[in-house]
Amino acid sequence: SGIEFNKFVENQTMGFTVMMKSAIAAKAQMQSLYDFAVNSPLTFKETAGSAKQLMAYGFAASELIPTMKSLGSVAIATGNRLDDIAYVYGTLRSQGRAYSRDLMQFGMRGIPIYEELAKVMGVGADQIQKLASQGAIGFKEVEKAFKNMTNESGRFGGTLDAYMDTLTGKMSMLGDIAEQTAGKLMEPTTKVLKDTVEDLTRQFQGAGFQ
């Protein structure tokens, strides 16, 4: 478990390093994501994986934690996986517009996107489908709808805090802490394994195996 955790952290940090062009910034981002995850019912692995996915879609580092709070609240409230919601949301960000098929993806996941967009745009919910087919709904409107759903007065407001008082939330916190602790304990072993693989690779290459 500790070795697998270290592999995960190393791989995610490498991905962030490439996108952020800084190993220091990548490590700081991973720490921020861990601090957020351990105090929420979301696991560190799903949080870090989804955050890296969003950054690949064009989200800035400063947007990741706020976006995780919003998407995480919606995911937990509707019983969906965070990475699944992040995929649809990130796709919208990259294309800049929300078309009918995109809104349908949210609707099929039990997310009341039509009602929330209607509030944002000041129209009836029955008009949203038409506006989407015309390409008249931008990502900013969708982003606002998600923020409205998850702010203190929104229908999903307080979801993360509420779930932290449940057994699910407590077990998620315990799991993240246990995995990180196991990872730290296994750091010497992880280094030995990496060094061993490097030595074996050099030996095989020296013997003519490519």
Side-chain angles (χ1 to χ4, degrees):
S1 177
I3 292 174
E4 286 301 318
F5 180 82
N6 290 342
K7 283 170 58 180
F8 174 81
V9 170
E10 187 176 59
N11 289 338
Q12 297 300 312
T13 303
M14 181 61 67
F16 277 117
T17 298
V18 172
M19 289 186 283
M20 301 176 79
K21 309 301 181 185
S22 169
I24 294 176
K27 289 180 180 179
Q29 185 64 65
M30 286 290 287
Q31 184 61 54
S32 295
L33 290 168
Y34 176 81
D35 292 341
F36 164 70
V38 79
N39 290 297
S40 82
L42 303 167
T43 69
F44 172 56
K45 287 184 176 179
E46 65 180 333
T47 299
S50 296
K52 190 181 75 171
Q53 184 179 26
L54 289 178
M55 181 167 274
Y57 277 119
F59 285 80
S62 60
E63 297 177 285
L64 295 181
I65 297 298
T67 304
M68 286 296 98
K69 290 179 180 178
S70 180
L71 299 188
S73 295
V74 172
I76 289 176
T78 58
N80 289 286
R81 296 199 326 267
L82 178 58
D83 61 342
D84 187 37
I85 301 297
Y87 167 74
V88 182
Y89 194 76
T91 300
L92 264 176
R93 168 66 178 263
S94 65
Q95 69 188 23
R97 287 283 179 274
Y99 296 101
S100 299
R101 64 178 183 276
D102 304 309
L103 299 185
M104 188 180 299
Q105 290 294 316
F106 287 130
M108 291 172 61
R109 289 164 173 79
I111 300 171
I113 192 65
Y114 297 99
E115 294 87 342
E116 294 297 334
L117 278 173
K119 296 176 186 177
V120 170
M121 303 184 74
V123 299
D126 58 339
Q127 295 296 308
I128 295 301
Q129 192 74 275
K130 179 180 179 181
L131 291 171
S133 66
Q134 296 171 346
I137 302 177
F139 174 73
K140 289 297 182 182
E141 285 74 33
V142 175
E143 184 179 44
K144 179 63 175 174
F146 267 78
K147 287 181 178 179
N148 289 349
M149 276 190 275
T150 56
N151 62 27
E152 291 184 3
S153 60
R155 68 176 70 199
F156 300 141
T159 297
L160 296 185
D161 290 337
Y163 267 80
M164 279 310 292
D165 288 330
T166 67
L167 180 59
T168 298
K170 299 300 183 185
M171 290 300 292
S172 174
M173 175 187 285
L174 179 61
D176 285 336
I177 294 173
E179 285 191 327
Q180 186 193 50
T181 300
K184 288 182 177 179
L185 291 172
M186 293 303 293
E187 282 179 357
T189 302
T190 301
K191 184 179 185 306
V192 170
L193 286 171
K194 289 174 67 176
D195 291 342
T196 300
V197 171
E198 289 177 1
D199 289 340
L200 287 172
T201 299
R202 284 194 293 268
Q203 291 177 30
F204 279 126
Q205 289 178 337
F209 295 97
Q210 298 295 328

